[in-house]
Amino acid sequence: MKAKKSLGQNFLMHQRIAERIALVAGLTKESVVFEIGPGTGMLTRELLKRARKVIALEADGELFKKLHIEFAREILEKKLELIHGDIRTFDITTIPKGYALVANIPYYLTGEIFRMFLEAERQPSAMTLLVQKEVADRIVARDKKESILSLSVKAYGTPKREFLVPRGAFIPAPNVDSAVLTVRDISRKNFNTKRHEELFFKLLHAGFAHKRKFVRKNLAEAGLPQGDIPEKARAEDLPLSTWLSLTKRCR
């Protein structure tokens, strides 16, 4: 199959890596997995070995037809539900509760997919995603500097960079290396209400609005509380606990 640039396709072609992704996802025989963009089915095969059911959403019509033939038996046995559609318009509420999200996602949709699933009414129990190494490093804050993305993910779960995947593992090879990132223990335990959740993100965006300014200045300009934040602190220096504490001060 020739990859379509418009769909951000980079097909994972190493079975051992697909197996390792399925293993770190921590699936059981009772797991229901939602996979975005099964592509050639390399990862799908490994997920089917471990989960009770896989629901796979494929946007590419040509690939969808090939997958239907390739996995005809699994579809007949209802172990695989193959859906033709775009993740950006897909209704997440149709996925059974308690599902795990496992996927090699298009890089250009990374941020959108994190927002879509973590902020969804029906969140996944865990996420295992193949993303750009740089994005994985930013989410886990390997340089000890937080970002809107890292704090947004940590507000809902515990992210961990599991292992690196070289660019040569894909066809076509992307221009960057990749990494498998897991987010476990996903919940809304940090938010009492929807309003509380909205205020948290309002604070985050205000705090990071002007990176060269100290965070107290950014928050003051937005009319938001500054709490006990040090005078010279920047938004990237503050841990999740500080942002959650500030959120409680908002009215």
Side-chain angles (χ1 to χ4, degrees):
M1 281 296 299
K2 186 175 180 180
K4 294 181 175 67
K5 200 170 183 179
S6 61
L7 294 176
Q9 292 175 335
N10 295 97
F11 301 127
L12 178 65
M13 301 306 293
H14 280 230
Q15 187 267 336
R16 288 285 181 88
I17 293 174
E19 180 181 25
R20 196 173 173 192
I21 293 170
L23 283 171
V24 300
L27 306 175
T28 71
K29 290 298 181 183
E30 296 305 312
S31 297
V32 174
V33 178
F34 183 67
E35 183 186 11
I36 302 167
T40 62
M42 179 67 70
L43 178 57
T44 312
R45 291 184 190 90
E46 297 302 321
L47 298 175
L48 285 166
K49 291 177 185 177
R50 293 164 177 81
R52 175 169 61 85
K53 183 177 182 178
V54 176
I55 303 167
L57 180 73
E58 180 54 62
D60 187 321
E62 191 176 351
L63 275 176
F64 176 77
K65 292 176 184 176
K66 287 181 178 293
L67 289 165
H68 231 286
I69 296 169
E70 178 77 17
F71 293 101
R73 181 171 60 84
E74 289 83 357
I75 293 171
L76 187 63
E77 293 173 352
K78 299 190 183 302
K79 282 208 64 172
L80 174 64
E81 181 180 348
L82 192 59
I83 303 170
H84 184 208
D86 190 318
I87 188 57
R88 291 168 292 188
T89 56
F90 184 75
D91 184 1
I92 295 175
T93 62
T94 60
I95 311 172
K97 290 181 180 178
Y99 69 96
L101 175 62
V102 186
N104 168 25
I105 59 177
Y107 291 153
Y108 74 99
L109 290 179
T110 301
E112 192 170 347
I113 286 171
F114 272 110
R115 283 193 301 275
M116 183 182 299
F117 284 89
L118 290 175
E119 297 178 25
E121 183 178 337
R122 184 164 297 182
Q123 297 169 309
S125 59
M127 302 167 70
T128 303
L129 301 176
L130 189 47
V131 300
Q132 286 186 20
K133 174 185 174 293
E134 180 186 339
V135 172
D137 287 346
R138 193 165 3 124
I139 290 173
V140 300
R142 284 176 68 87
D143 60 357
K144 308 301 180 186
K145 298 293 184 182
E146 299 289 358
S147 62
I148 290 178
L149 179 59
S150 67
L151 292 164
S152 298
V153 173
K154 290 173 182 176
Y156 294 107
T158 305
K160 180 184 178 184
R161 196 187 81 172
E162 298 287 351
F163 61 91
L164 298 178
V165 179
R167 60 194 76 186
F170 302 89
I171 294 179
N175 295 324
V176 294
D177 289 327
S178 303
V180 173
L181 182 88
T182 56
V183 184
R184 305 191 192 279
D185 306 316
I186 296 172
S187 72
R188 278 191 167 79
K189 64 183 179 183
N190 286 319
F191 306 115
N192 299 323
T193 63
K194 185 66 178 174
R195 171 68 176 157
H196 188 195
E197 190 175 355
E198 290 169 352
L199 284 170
F200 170 78
F201 285 103
K202 182 178 179 180
L203 270 165
L204 267 193
H205 285 280
F208 280 88
H210 305 286
K211 286 193 175 183
R212 293 187 179 182
K213 291 184 181 180
F214 296 124
V215 68
R216 289 182 66 90
K217 178 80 170 173
N218 284 338
L219 293 174
E221 288 179 356
L224 294 167
Q226 297 100 60
D228 300 321
I229 297 173
E231 288 288 341
K232 303 294 185 181
R234 299 191 188 279
E236 62 187 11
D237 300 321
L238 304 183
L240 174 65
S241 57
T242 299
W243 294 101
L244 291 173
S245 177
L246 281 174
T247 304
K248 291 177 181 177
R249 295 170 180 254
C250 292
R251 295 181 181 274

